[in-house]
């Protein structure tokens, strides 16, 4: 080890370049693996997490899986002997009223069994019992400290949700499930909606036996209910999915893709360092010959060289950890809202991974140069250490092969980056169906309990729209429940009068259910294609009306005029609604989503869903500039209203955070690979120029011009680029299907991605080769021939 360090100290330039190259590759792998470990591999912070499952519903006729269950099905599944404890949970971010303030926070309704499923113990106080449903709550320690000063001080205090006081009976520490939850309220053991067609409830359970036995028991329940309720349960099957799988399954493929991409960068780095080691071999030929003459066999020489490369790898690994540590915060800031994000850190398993990668890389980039450098006999070695410093044809071809490998990997990564970037551009260019610019969105929750209070809240919001619209910089104001890319969403089946009988089990067309105030469509820039908008005529006591999207009109009315037709849905009322208008399609979930059928209803006619709204303000200035003015106005008019302000553009951007994260990192990896190609080609061409300086001098003495020499050298580098590009394109072909699974907004990788990859690689290769080629073109023939 000491000898290896001394060897590196004698060659500080080589050591620094090699260490930096390795640190770049190892650091990138460490940073990505820290995310993979924190999200996918790190043990879940629950006791006995392998026994916790999520119960989901699968439709055997279509293969579709919904992560929820109906209330009726839950009642039967709960009695399965294979389950030790079962709890429903539902809720989300909603307004919470305290003594002198209100705020949005995560509120979840759960059964008392919920805490035993997670093997939780209260940090202070106790957990609620079934007799306390609707009256008791458990809060997080952070919520308790934020509002009551300390966790013990929260016990016995009250908070209000939907105008119902809830006594805080317990505090839990360091627990967040579902994500962002801070308040858990006792819910009735029997689901309020007990039908078998509305999938309103998420369900967690703790297994009493193994997963196989549990699934058999659930299959038996599925079969029994399919016989008893064929109209609704004929194709249903209940499945137990591990909680880890349920939480992290949607991002596993993306993280595996990124880990594979960054591994290619490390391979390119290893090829680059191997090239550096081969370049040093002529200078070490005499040293190797002397060692051989003194009795060192080839195995010992190879072992010594691998020790040297291991030192290089370990130093590169240490520097890589440092690079990963200083870049991790930026990586997490760029990342979408991944599950378990708070658990991502440079932990001990990540350091063990880095150590393994460092040692494996040492072997990867060190073995080939070690074997090549110790091949042959002593006389040959001494000849190769002669005055002209030739590295020999075999080693020259090996160096070229390594550069070709780097180029091929760079082509692959550049192709992936180009395809993902084009995918992102397609998302940005997608026609949303609405205007996201200059829109401020205010999530607003006004408490209500009885029908009279809910109806009063809708009138209160009408006055709020008018007051906000009078603010300087605000052009229009309206409200909605179900804003595109927003948090609130509902969907289900609907019936058209005279077409659907409305009997249980009838196959119904599906649509998204949205609520809107008058002027919502004009505020959002959604075109009204036919009919009229909602207005003050559409009150709770008036005949119910609806506006449908263009896709729903095509889906259910074909070429017929839908205006005047009647429709109903299962949102909250069985009343028939007269269609009064048709509006343009919108991409509801994100720019990557296809426009779907949407059914819009007036907020005033569905007051039970109207007290938690998204108020949208069309502004003439940047919307964020009005945030505090709007907040102050709401506080002045309605102090008990919880509000949260965001811009519409940020909501749209957040909806495509995952593809943006993937495209940005892949582009960064491609840039790193191209940088390594630049260094690799430069090194090879510099050695080639040095070896061919006599040939260049002879050619110039015979009449060749400097341009001829420059062309000759660039043609050499172009041959490397062509060979690497050919292999890279072949790799792209095999990776195409995997890449297309990661793209959003495009169904296939665009041909321009190939053009981008090849253009980038050829440009970098020729750029790297130009300086050595230029030096060769300026060779003095007399001096070159005199050597």
């Amino acid at each position: 080890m000491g000898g290896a360090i001394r060897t590196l100290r004698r060659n500080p330039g080589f050591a620094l370049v090699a260490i930096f190259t390795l640190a770049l590759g190892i650091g990138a792998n460490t940073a990505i693996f820290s995310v993979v470990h924190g999200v996918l591999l790190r043990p879940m912070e629950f006791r006995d997490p392998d026994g916790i499952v999520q119960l989901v519903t699968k439709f055997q006729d279509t293969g579709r899986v919904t992560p929820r269950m109906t209330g009726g099905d839950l009642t039967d599944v709960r009695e399965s002997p294979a389950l030790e404890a079962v709890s429903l949970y539902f809720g989300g971010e909603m307004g919470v009223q305290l003594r002198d303030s209100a705020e949005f926070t995560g509120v979840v309704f759960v059964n008392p069994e919920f805490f035993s499923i997670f093997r939780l113990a209260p940090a202070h106080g106790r957990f609620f019992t079934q007799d306390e449903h609707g009256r008791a709550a458990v809060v997080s320690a952070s919520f308790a400290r934020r509002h009551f000063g300390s966790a013990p001080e929260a016990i016995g205090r009250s908070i209000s949700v939907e105008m119902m006081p809830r006594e805080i009976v317990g505090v839990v520490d360091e627990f967040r499930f579902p994500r962002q939850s801070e308040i858990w309220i006792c819910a009735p053991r029997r689901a309020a909606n007990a039908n078998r067609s509305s999938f309103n409830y998420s369900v967690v359970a703790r297994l009493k036996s193994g997963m196989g036995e549990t699934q058999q028991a659930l299959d038996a329940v599925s079969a029994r209910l399919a016989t008893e309720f064929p109209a609704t349960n004929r194709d249903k099957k209940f499945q137990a999915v591990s909680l880890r799988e349920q939480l992290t399954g949607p991002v596993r493929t993306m993280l595996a893709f990124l880990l594979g991409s960054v591994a290619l960068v490390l391979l390119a780095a290893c090829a680059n360092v191997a090239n550096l080691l081969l370049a040093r071999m002529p200078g070490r030929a005499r040293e190797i010959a002397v060692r051989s003459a003194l009795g060192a066999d080839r195995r010992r020489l190879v072992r010594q060289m691998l020790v040297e490369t291991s030192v290089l790898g370990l130093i590169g690994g240490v520097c890589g950890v440092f690079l990963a540590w200083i870049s991790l915060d930026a990586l997490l800031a760029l990342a979408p809202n991944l599950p378990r994000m708070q658990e991502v850190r440079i932990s001990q398993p990540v350091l063990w991974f880095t150590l393994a990668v460092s040692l494996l890389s040492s072997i990867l980039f060190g073995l080939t140069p070690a074997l090549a450098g110790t091949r042959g006999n002593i006389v040959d070695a001494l000849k190769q250490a002669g005055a002209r410093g030739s590295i020999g044809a075999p080693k020259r071809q090996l160096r070229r092969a390594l550069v070709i490998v780097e180029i091929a990997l760079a082509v692959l990564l550049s192709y992936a980056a180009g395809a993902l970037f084009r995918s992102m551009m397609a998302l940005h260019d997608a026609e949303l169906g609405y205007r996201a610019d200059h829109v401020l969105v205010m999530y607003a929750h006004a408490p209500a309990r009885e029908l009279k209070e809910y109806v009063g809240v809708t009138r209160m919001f009408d006055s709020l729209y008018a007051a906000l619209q009078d603010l300087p910089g605000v052009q229009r104001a309206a409200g909605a429940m179900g804003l595109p890319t927003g948090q609130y969403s509902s969907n289900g089946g609907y019936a058209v009068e005279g077409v659907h009988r409305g009997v249980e089990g009838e196959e119904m067309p599906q649509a998204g259910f949205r609520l809107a105030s008058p002027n919502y469509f004009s505020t959002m820039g959604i075109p009204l294609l036919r009919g009229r908008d909602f207005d003050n005529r559409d009150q709770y006591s008036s005949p119910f009306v609806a506006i449908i999207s263009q896709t729903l009109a095509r889906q259910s009315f074909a070429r017929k005029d839908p205006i005047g037709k009647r429709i109903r849905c299962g949102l909250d009322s069985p009343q028939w609604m007269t269609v009064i208008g048709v509006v343009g399609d919108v991409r509801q979930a994100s720019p990557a989503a296809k426009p779907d059928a949407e059914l819009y209803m007036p907020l005033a006619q569905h007051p039970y869903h109207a007290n938690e709204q998204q108020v949208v303000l069309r502004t003439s200035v940047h919307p964020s500039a009005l945030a505090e003015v709007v907040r102050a106005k709401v506080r002045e008019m309605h102090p008990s209203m919880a509000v949260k302000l965001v811009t519409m553009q940020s909501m749209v951007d957040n909806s495509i955070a995952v593809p943006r994260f993937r495209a940005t990192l892949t582009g960064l990896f491609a840039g790193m690979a191209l940088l390594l190609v630049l260094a690799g080609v430069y090194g090879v061409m510099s050695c080639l120029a040095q070896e061919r300086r006599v040939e260049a001098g002879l050619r110039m003495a015979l009449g060749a011009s400097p341009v001829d020499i420059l062309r000759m050298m660039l043609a050499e580098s172009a041959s490397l680029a062509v060979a690497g590009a050919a292999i890279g394109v072949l790799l792209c072909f095999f990776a195409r299907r995997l890449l297309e699974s990661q793209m959003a907004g495009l169904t296939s990788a665009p041909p321009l991605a190939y053009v981008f990859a090849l253009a980038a690689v050829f440009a970098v290769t020729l750029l790297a080769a130009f300086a050595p080629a230029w030096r060769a073109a300026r060779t003095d023939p007399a001096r070159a021939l005199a050597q």
Side-chain angles (χ1 to χ4, degrees):
M1 183 71 74
I5 294 175
R6 285 192 298 274
T7 300
L8 295 178
R9 289 178 63 184
R10 287 196 297 268
N11 299 273
F14 158 78
L16 288 175
V17 173
I19 289 169
F20 175 76
T21 302
L22 290 172
L24 204 63
I26 295 173
N29 276 265
T30 299
I32 296 300
F33 182 77
S34 66
V35 177
V36 171
H37 179 264
V39 174
L40 300 181
L41 305 178
R42 186 183 179 89
M44 301 189 73
E45 296 183 348
F46 310 131
R47 290 179 57 191
D48 189 17
D50 294 337
I52 306 174
V53 296
Q54 182 114 15
L55 301 182
V56 304
T57 306
K58 181 178 181 180
F59 298 90
Q60 298 185 84
D61 55 338
T62 62
R64 182 172 66 89
V65 176
T66 176
R68 294 176 295 277
M69 297 184 69
T70 68
D73 294 336
L74 173 58
T75 300
D76 290 283
V77 170
R78 188 191 292 274
E79 305 306 320
S80 171
L83 301 174
E84 178 183 311
V86 179
S87 174
L88 59 78
Y89 67 93
F90 61 93
E93 197 173 38
M94 63 178 63
V96 176
Q97 284 71 40
L98 295 103
R99 185 174 61 183
D100 55 358
S101 64
E103 71 168 35
F104 269 96
T105 191
V107 179
V108 188
F109 292 83
V110 300
N111 300 135
E113 295 91 341
F114 180 84
F115 301 105
S116 64
I117 290 170
F118 290 93
R119 300 281 197 258
L120 286 176
H124 301 278
R126 60 178 177 83
F127 293 135
F128 44 67
T129 65
Q130 194 60 63
D131 295 336
E132 297 176 295
H133 69 79
R135 296 184 289 109
V138 172
V139 302
S140 70
S142 60
F143 180 88
R145 287 191 295 268
R146 192 163 66 245
H147 294 288
F148 305 108
S150 68
E153 287 293 320
I155 304 299
R157 302 290 188 93
S158 288
I159 57 175
S160 179
V161 178
E162 298 293 11
M163 294 189 74
M164 287 189 64
R166 327 276 179 162
E167 180 186 357
I168 299 174
V169 299
V171 177
V172 293
D173 198 11
E174 300 298 328
F175 176 74
R176 291 286 182 95
F177 183 86
R179 277 195 291 171
Q180 312 306 322
S181 300
E182 291 198 285
I183 299 174
W184 298 265
I185 295 176
C186 185
R189 192 170 191 273
R190 184 177 180 84
N193 187 344
N195 69 34
R196 298 180 187 273
S197 57
S198 298
F199 296 85
N200 295 324
Y201 303 104
S202 299
V203 182
V204 286
R206 179 164 285 280
L207 303 181
K208 184 181 294 183
S209 51
M211 185 70 85
E213 297 175 34
T214 300
Q215 191 56 58
Q216 289 178 5
L218 292 176
D219 289 345
V221 175
S222 302
R224 176 172 63 81
L225 295 181
T227 302
E228 294 179 11
F229 307 98
T232 57
N233 286 65
R234 181 178 55 221
D235 296 312
K236 282 184 191 174
K237 182 179 180 180
F238 311 120
Q239 290 185 329
V241 180
S242 73
L243 188 61
R244 180 193 294 274
E245 172 65 26
Q246 190 65 25
L247 290 176
T248 63
V251 299
R252 180 178 289 112
T253 302
M254 180 197 71
L255 291 179
F257 174 83
L258 292 178
L259 192 60
S261 299
V262 79
L264 297 181
V265 176
L266 182 59
L267 284 177
C270 289
N272 207 305
V273 177
N275 237 325
L276 290 174
L277 290 170
L278 282 171
R280 289 183 64 227
M281 283 305 164
R284 300 193 67 181
R286 187 177 299 277
E287 172 196 345
I288 294 171
V290 171
R291 287 177 178 269
S292 298
L294 295 176
D297 57 13
R298 191 184 186 198
R299 181 181 301 179
R300 185 172 178 180
L301 292 171
V302 169
R303 185 168 63 246
Q304 173 61 28
M305 291 185 179
L306 288 180
V307 169
E308 294 175 11
T309 58
S310 296
V311 172
L312 267 181
L314 291 174
I315 297 175
V318 171
C319 296
V321 169
F322 176 73
L323 290 178
W325 178 69
I326 62 175
S327 63
L328 189 58
D329 287 343
L331 177 64
L332 296 180
L334 177 67
N337 189 19
L338 298 174
R340 309 181 68 194
M341 181 68 84
Q342 70 280 1
E343 299 177 46
V344 175
R345 60 184 68 95
I346 304 293
S347 58
Q348 188 178 46
V350 174
L351 295 178
W352 282 115
F353 167 83
T354 305
L355 176 62
V357 167
S358 300
L359 294 176
L360 182 61
S361 301
S362 303
I363 296 173
L364 194 61
F365 69 74
L367 187 59
T368 299
L371 292 175
T374 57
R375 183 182 293 116
N377 57 41
I378 298 174
V379 176
D380 292 335
L382 290 172
K383 286 181 179 178
Q384 288 191 16
R388 293 189 179 180
S390 172
I391 66 171
K395 296 184 182 64
R396 187 183 306 117
Q397 294 304 319
L398 183 56
R399 292 199 64 193
R400 290 179 178 178
L402 289 171
V403 169
I404 288 171
V405 168
E406 288 184 57
I407 292 173
L409 294 175
V411 167
L412 178 57
L413 284 170
S414 299
Y415 168 73
L420 293 176
F421 177 77
R422 182 64 190 90
S423 173
M424 279 300 302
M425 292 300 296
L427 294 183
H428 284 293
D429 295 341
E431 179 57 52
L432 300 177
Y434 58 90
R435 287 177 52 205
D437 62 294
H438 288 83
V439 174
L440 181 66
V441 178
M442 179 178 72
Y443 283 84
H445 178 269
R449 185 172 179 181
E450 304 294 338
L451 175 60
K452 182 179 179 181
E453 294 165 345
Y454 279 104
V455 173
V457 164
T458 63
R459 297 195 185 101
M460 182 186 73
F461 270 108
D462 287 339
S463 65
L464 181 61
Y465 305 149
L468 294 175
Q469 191 164 303
D470 288 339
L471 292 175
V474 177
Q475 296 175 332
R476 287 185 295 277
M481 190 286 290
L483 197 65
T485 72
Q487 295 179 8
Y488 308 145
S489 182
S490 182
N491 67 287
Y494 65 90
V496 177
E497 188 177 34
V499 178
H500 304 102
R501 296 174 299 165
V503 299
E504 187 176 31
E506 182 181 6
E507 190 72 23
M508 308 291 284
Q510 300 290 304
F513 301 152
R514 318 292 169 206
L515 303 180
S517 75
N519 300 317
Y520 166 72
F521 300 109
S522 60
T523 302
M524 287 295 295
I526 300 173
L528 180 65
L529 304 177
R530 305 188 61 182
R532 69 171 178 90
D533 193 358
F534 300 132
D535 57 30
N536 292 331
R537 289 173 286 176
D538 306 316
Q539 300 299 318
Y540 184 71
S541 57
S542 308
F544 276 30
V545 296
I547 293 174
I548 62 176
S549 69
Q550 211 172 357
T551 294
L552 193 149
R554 287 194 299 267
Q555 178 174 281
S556 291
F557 298 100
R559 298 178 182 274
K560 299 178 183 177
D561 185 1
I563 305 298
K565 301 293 191 297
R566 298 211 303 173
I567 193 171
R568 69 180 177 187
C569 68
L571 176 65
D572 62 352
S573 171
Q575 292 201 42
W576 288 100
M577 301 174 288
T578 302
V579 177
I580 61 170
V582 179
V583 295
D585 288 331
V586 300
R587 297 180 187 267
Q588 183 68 27
S590 79
K594 293 181 179 179
D596 210 345
E598 303 290 348
L599 176 60
Y600 298 91
M601 297 159 275
L603 279 161
Q605 293 187 341
H606 300 270
Y608 286 112
H609 293 277
N611 71 315
E612 196 163 3
Q613 293 189 21
Q614 294 146 314
V615 179
V616 289
L617 309 175
R618 172 69 60 183
T619 68
S620 58
V621 297
H622 194 283
S624 60
L626 295 175
E628 288 308 313
V629 177
V630 170
R631 191 188 305 275
K633 188 65 175 179
V634 174
R635 191 181 299 116
E636 173 192 330
M637 295 180 65
H638 306 290
S640 64
M641 182 180 288
V643 299
K644 182 181 71 171
L645 292 150
V646 295
T647 65
M648 188 71 217
Q649 190 60 58
S650 69
M651 291 170 58
V652 174
D653 291 342
N654 287 339
S655 73
I656 56 174
V658 169
R660 183 173 60 247
F661 178 63
R662 189 166 44 215
T664 302
L665 286 189
T666 306
L668 179 63
F669 300 155
M672 294 167 65
L674 290 172
L675 183 64
L676 294 171
V677 166
L678 186 71
V681 172
Y682 179 84
V684 167
M685 295 307 298
S686 293
C687 286
L688 186 63
Q690 179 67 17
E691 291 177 5
R692 300 185 68 176
R693 64 189 183 281
V694 175
E695 178 188 348
L698 182 58
R699 286 176 178 269
M700 295 178 73
L702 294 177
S705 68
V707 173
D708 295 328
I709 302 301
L710 183 65
R711 187 184 299 115
M712 177 187 72
M713 298 298 295
L714 291 180
E716 185 80 24
S717 65
S719 68
L720 296 176
V722 168
I727 298 173
V729 168
L730 187 63
L731 293 175
C732 293
F733 177 78
F734 287 113
R736 183 169 54 88
R737 189 175 299 277
L738 172 63
L739 178 62
E740 289 172 356
S741 70
Q742 297 298 300
M743 292 195 301
L746 292 177
T747 56
S748 61
L752 282 176
Y754 286 104
V755 176
F756 169 78
L758 296 176
V761 166
F762 273 93
V764 167
T765 302
L766 293 177
L767 177 66
F770 186 80
W774 179 253
R775 287 198 301 270
R778 298 180 64 188
T779 299
D780 183 350
R783 293 184 62 184
L785 294 173
Q787 292 182 4

